[in-house]
Amino acid sequence: MTTLNEWDKKHFIHPTSSIQEQQANGPKVIFNKSEGIYLTSKDGTKYIDAMSSLWNVNIGHGRKEIAEAAKEQMEQLAYSSCFSNFSNEPAIRLAKKIASLAPPSLNAVFFTSGGSESNDSAIKIVRHYWRIQGQPERNKIVALRRGYHGVSAGATSATGIPEFWDMAGNLMQGFVHAKSPYEIGTEASIQSIREVIEAEGPEKIAAFMAEPVQGAGGVLIPPKDYYKAVRKICNEYGILYIADEVITGFGRTGKMFGVENYGVEPDVLTFAKGVTSGYFPLGGVIVSDHVHNVLKEKSEGVLFHGFTYSGHPTGAAVALKNLEILERENLVDNSFKMGEELQKGFKSIKEESTIVGDIRTLGLLGAMEFVQDPLTNKRFPAELKVAPRIIAALHERGVICRAVTYDNTDIVCFSPPLIITKAQIDDLVAILREAVLIVQQEVEEQLAAL
C-alpha cells in the first residue's frame, strides 16, 4: 500500500482534486472491488456509493453480464473507425435503441466518448445548423448560472459555475448566462432568459442550453412548468433548445430522460454516464428530425467533427447490454419509487434537525441543504461550512457523497445506483441522520463560542 501511495503522489494527477492534499496525504481511498451499491477499498473498508461514483453507475457495480458482453464484442471486433461512413453493427443497433427510448421527435444519434464531448458536439452542431442555412451570425449559446456542462473548451464556457473558469478562463467566445430559478425564482429566471436574448439580439442566438436538473450545481430541481416556459421562449425567438441529459438520462430522475418530467421535447439532447453505467466511456448527441433534415439537405461535403472512439463497437455493445438490464429490471420505475423513499428519509431528518434547510429529490437525484436558520434560510458563516463536515462524517461511517459550496451554499448531493432497495435506503438515511446530528452539535457549540 505504501508503494501505491507514493506512486500515486509521484505519477497520478487526479481530476477535480486538490494536488496539495494529494501530496500531503496521498490518495484518500484506493478502491479495488465493487458490487451492487458498494465499493470496497484495498484495506477492506466497505462504502455505500451514494453518488453512483460520478452520477453514472445506474445499474450498480460488478455486473458480470456487462463484462461478458464486452469480452464477446472484443473477441469479434474490438474497435473499428466510423469515419468516412465506415460502420459497425453494435453502433447501428445502439443508435436505433437510443432513438426508441428518446422523446419521439429525436431519432438521429452522434456518438462521443463522454459528457463533455457530447456537449461540445451539440454546440458545434447547432452552430453548423445555422451556418449551413446562411446565418453564421447565429452562434451564441445562452445557458444558466449554476449549470454544469463539462470541462472541455466549449462545455466549460457553457458551464455557469465561475470556479470552473478560474483554471484557464472562459475558453470560447459567444456564451452568455441567465440567472437560474434557484437564484431568483421561476418567473424572474424566465425573465432573465428573455432579457439576455433581447440584449444579445435573437438573430445572434443559436441555442439555449440547460440541464433538466442542475446536478453539479447542487441538484437544483426547477418547478414543473419551468421548461415549458423556456420551450415557449425558444419557439418565440426561433432558438434551438439543447437539453443536457448527461446526468439525468437513462432513469436517474424516475423517467427515462429528465425532460419527460416537464412535458417538453428539446431540439438536441446530450447524454453519457448512464448509457453504459460507467462500464465504458461513451456519450452522444440526439438531434430532432427537423435538425437532422436540415443537416441532410444543407450540409455539403465532409462533416469535420468526430472523435476516434465515436461509435466504438465495444462501447456500443456494453451500452446495449446496460440498457437491456435497465429495462429488464424495471430500474427506471425503481428509481421513481426509491426516490420517494429517499425523500421520506430526508424529511424525517429535517424534522429532527435545526440545521437542515431545503430537501429535494427527483427520482434518485437528491440534495439536502444546510443553513444556520431554516426559518429565514440564513446561511452559515464561511468559516463554519457544514456540507464538507457532513461529507467527512459520512465518509468515516462508510458512505460516499458530494458537497457543493458554490456561492456560499451548503449542499450535500445524493445519486445512488438505481438498483438500491428500501432496506439500503434505510441504512443510508440512518447513517446520514447520525452524521447530521453530530455535525449539528459541533457547529452549535462553535456558534455559541463566537
Side-chain angles (χ1 to χ4, degrees):
M1 181 73 78
T2 301
T3 300
L4 287 176
N5 285 346
E6 292 307 312
W7 287 350
D8 186 285
K9 291 163 67 174
K10 185 174 181 179
H11 301 295
F12 186 6
I13 300 175
H14 287 249
T16 315
S17 302
S18 167
I19 294 176
Q20 289 77 17
E21 183 179 325
Q22 177 201 20
Q23 293 306 305
N25 304 315
K28 185 178 292 184
V29 181
I30 299 176
F31 295 113
N32 72 337
K33 291 181 184 178
S34 61
E35 184 176 2
I37 70 163
Y38 302 101
L39 292 167
T40 303
S41 68
K42 200 162 178 62
D43 66 5
T45 305
K46 194 173 184 179
Y47 297 88
I48 295 174
D49 183 4
M51 278 305 298
S52 295
S53 288
L54 277 176
W55 326 83
N56 60 337
V57 189
N58 287 10
I59 64 168
H61 297 278
R63 305 297 293 250
K64 290 182 172 57
E65 284 180 79
I66 299 286
E68 289 165 1
K71 176 179 181 292
E72 289 174 10
Q73 185 59 46
M74 285 180 176
E75 289 176 341
Q76 181 173 335
L77 175 69
Y79 170 74
S80 63
S81 167
C82 291
F83 283 27
S84 303
N85 287 330
F86 288 110
S87 198
N88 63 79
E89 184 174 342
I92 296 168
R93 291 188 179 278
L94 179 60
K96 181 178 183 297
K97 180 62 180 178
I98 289 172
S100 75
L101 298 175
S105 65
L106 286 88
N107 288 295
V109 182
F110 176 90
F111 287 116
T112 72
S113 305
S116 294
E117 284 186 3
S118 296
N119 286 326
D120 265 28
S121 296
I123 291 162
K124 292 178 73 173
I125 287 169
V126 299
R127 286 176 168 175
H128 179 66
Y129 165 90
W130 290 113
R131 186 182 297 272
I132 60 179
Q133 295 183 89
Q135 300 181 63
E137 70 281 358
R138 295 193 77 146
N139 59 17
K140 293 188 177 182
I141 307 295
V142 177
L144 290 176
R145 286 175 47 166
R146 294 189 75 94
Y148 177 79
H149 301 290
V151 295
S152 51
T156 296
S157 302
T159 289
I161 300 170
E163 284 82 351
F164 285 94
W165 305 336
D166 293 342
M167 177 188 175
N170 302 53
L171 303 176
M172 292 180 65
Q173 300 299 310
F175 292 83
V176 288
H177 293 86
K179 293 182 179 179
S180 71
Y182 174 82
E183 297 174 291
I184 58 175
T186 303
E187 293 302 321
S189 176
I190 294 298
Q191 184 60 28
S192 177
I193 294 169
R194 185 179 293 278
E195 288 172 356
V196 167
I197 292 170
E198 291 285 356
E200 298 295 326
E203 72 283 356
K204 295 182 179 178
I205 306 297
F208 170 83
M209 183 176 195
E211 306 152 273
V213 176
Q214 291 183 308
V219 185
L220 309 179
I221 304 169
K224 279 200 172 288
D225 60 351
Y226 180 75
Y227 281 111
K228 285 185 178 178
V230 168
R231 175 79 264 189
K232 186 176 180 181
I233 288 177
C234 290
N235 292 345
E236 178 183 341
Y237 290 107
I239 295 167
L240 296 180
Y241 166 29
I242 303 170
D244 176 351
E245 294 258 13
V246 170
I247 286 175
T248 53
F250 304 103
R252 176 55 57 190
T253 67
K255 301 282 189 181
M256 184 59 71
F257 289 97
V259 290
E260 295 175 49
N261 292 282
Y262 305 100
V264 295
E265 290 192 23
D267 301 290
V268 178
L269 185 152
T270 62
F271 66 88
K273 296 189 184 291
V275 71
T276 63
S277 290
Y279 284 77
F280 198 95
L282 190 143
V285 182
I286 321 174
V287 300
S288 69
D289 294 334
H290 168 72
V291 171
H292 193 208
N293 286 336
V294 170
L295 297 179
K296 289 188 289 186
E297 293 167 9
K298 302 281 188 179
S299 189
E300 298 179 356
V302 174
L303 178 70
F304 281 99
H305 180 67
F307 304 98
T308 299
Y309 300 123
S310 292
H312 196 298
T314 301
V318 166
L320 284 165
K321 181 57 68 173
N322 173 72
L323 296 176
E324 177 189 316
I325 293 169
L326 194 76
E327 291 185 301
R328 186 179 71 225
E329 298 183 4
N330 298 313
L331 295 183
V332 178
D333 184 53
N334 193 62
S335 174
F336 176 81
K337 291 176 179 176
M338 292 303 102
E340 291 186 327
E341 295 298 327
L342 188 62
Q343 176 72 7
K344 289 177 186 176
F346 285 176
K347 185 177 179 182
S348 70
I349 295 172
K350 180 177 172 65
E351 290 170 351
E352 295 179 40
S353 172
T354 60
I355 63 170
V356 176
D358 190 35
I359 53 174
R360 48 189 179 266
T361 59
L362 186 63
L364 283 170
L365 271 179
M368 179 176 283
E369 293 209 38
F370 296 91
V371 290
Q372 186 173 335
D373 184 350
L375 294 177
T376 63
N377 208 35
K378 179 183 177 182
R379 293 174 178 174
F380 284 100
E383 65 272 18
L384 289 181
K385 279 287 179 192
V386 170
R389 300 185 191 204
I390 299 290
I391 295 299
L394 288 170
H395 185 85
E396 290 173 4
R397 290 161 178 78
V399 172
I400 297 171
C401 280
R402 179 169 179 168
V404 170
T405 57
Y406 316 124
D407 295 334
N408 198 35
T409 51
D410 239 342
I411 303 170
V412 173
C413 302
F414 300 82
S415 179
L418 308 190
I419 60 167
I420 198 167
T421 65
K422 185 180 184 306
Q424 291 168 334
I425 290 279
D426 291 343
D427 290 343
L428 172 59
V429 169
I431 296 169
L432 177 61
R433 176 181 287 107
E434 182 181 342
V436 168
L437 295 178
I438 285 173
V439 173
Q440 175 180 299
Q441 183 177 349
E442 291 176 0
V443 295
E444 285 178 347
E445 290 172 356
Q446 289 177 304
L447 284 168
L450 289 178

